[in-house]
């Protein structure tokens, strides 16, 4: 069984708080990105919103595991749950890639011009700052707790930082220079980061180990 020592209780409490804040921010990203994406007809924004939904799921899974640790769940039970969650996330990310390719191809072929989105730009800027802070905080906690699940989820936050930067570039090029095609191209560029995240999730489902685990 997983026995939590008294010295780790405070760290686990901090980790649960960090995961709770991450989940709350993912809800904000999800709602704002999908709303702004639909209004502006932005493939990049809707992609960002769907990815936020998947990251919300992983954050909730890790938060649940941290709670179960305090209830002395067996290592086998935790491993099974983590593998199942990793498989679902991996399949979800592969589906997101298919959506990006189809939507971006349609947008480029039809010449659909997304509107500028002030809300989208503000969201991308906020995500760049907030997700970087959450990533560094949870990575430090994962190291002190020796938690592969928390370490893997913190890596998702780093991916979100890269996605935010890509989203911001696409939105600004469209708003400032009128380069409408920058929006679907920004969405396609996100595949580079999402593909790696999907591969790691599916590998974790098979082996129980994440790319960051040593």
């Amino acid at each position: 069984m997983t026995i939590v020592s008294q010295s780790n209780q405070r760290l686990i409490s901090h980790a649960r708080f960090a995961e709770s804040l991450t989940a709350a921010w993912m809800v904000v990203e999800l709602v704002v990105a999908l709303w702004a994406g639909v209004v502006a007809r932005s493939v990049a924004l809707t992609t960002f919103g769907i990815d936020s939904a998947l990251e919300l799921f992983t954050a909730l899974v890790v938060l649940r595991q941290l709670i179960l640790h305090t209830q002395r769940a067996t290592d086998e039970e935790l491993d099974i749950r983590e593998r199942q969650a990793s498989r679902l996330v991996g399949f979800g990310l592969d589906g997101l890639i298919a959506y990006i390719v189809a939507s971006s191809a349609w947008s480029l072929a039809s010449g659909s011009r997304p509107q500028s989105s002030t809300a989208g730009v503000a969201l991308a800027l906020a995500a760049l700052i907030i997700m970087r802070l959450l990533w560094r905080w949870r990575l430090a906690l994962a190291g002190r707790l020796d938690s592969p699940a928390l370490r893997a989820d913190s890596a998702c936050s780093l991916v979100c930082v890269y996605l935010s930067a890509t989203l911001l570039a696409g939105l600004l090029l469209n708003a400032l220079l009128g380069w409408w095609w920058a929006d679907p191209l920004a969405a396609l560029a996100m595949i580079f980061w999402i593909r790696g995240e999907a591969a790691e999730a599916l590998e974790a489902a098979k082996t129980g180990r994440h790319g960051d685990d040593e």
Side-chain angles (χ1 to χ4, degrees), residues 142-153:
R144 297 179 67 181
L145 287 170
D146 192 23
S147 171
L150 185 57
R151 186 181 301 114
D153 195 49

Side-chain angles (χ1 to χ4, degrees), residues 55-68:
E55 291 191 39
L56 171 61
F57 174 73
T58 61
L60 292 175
V61 168
V62 174
L63 178 59
R64 182 169 181 262
Q65 287 180 332
L66 289 168
I67 294 173
L68 289 174

Side-chain angles (χ1 to χ4, degrees), residues 24-39 45-46 48-50 52-53 56 119 123:
W25 175 249
M26 285 300 104
V27 171
V28 174
E29 282 192 0
L30 168 63
V31 173
V32 176
L34 289 182
W35 168 76
V38 171
V39 171
L45 266 171
T46 54
F48 190 74
I50 296 172
S52 297
L56 171 61
L123 177 66

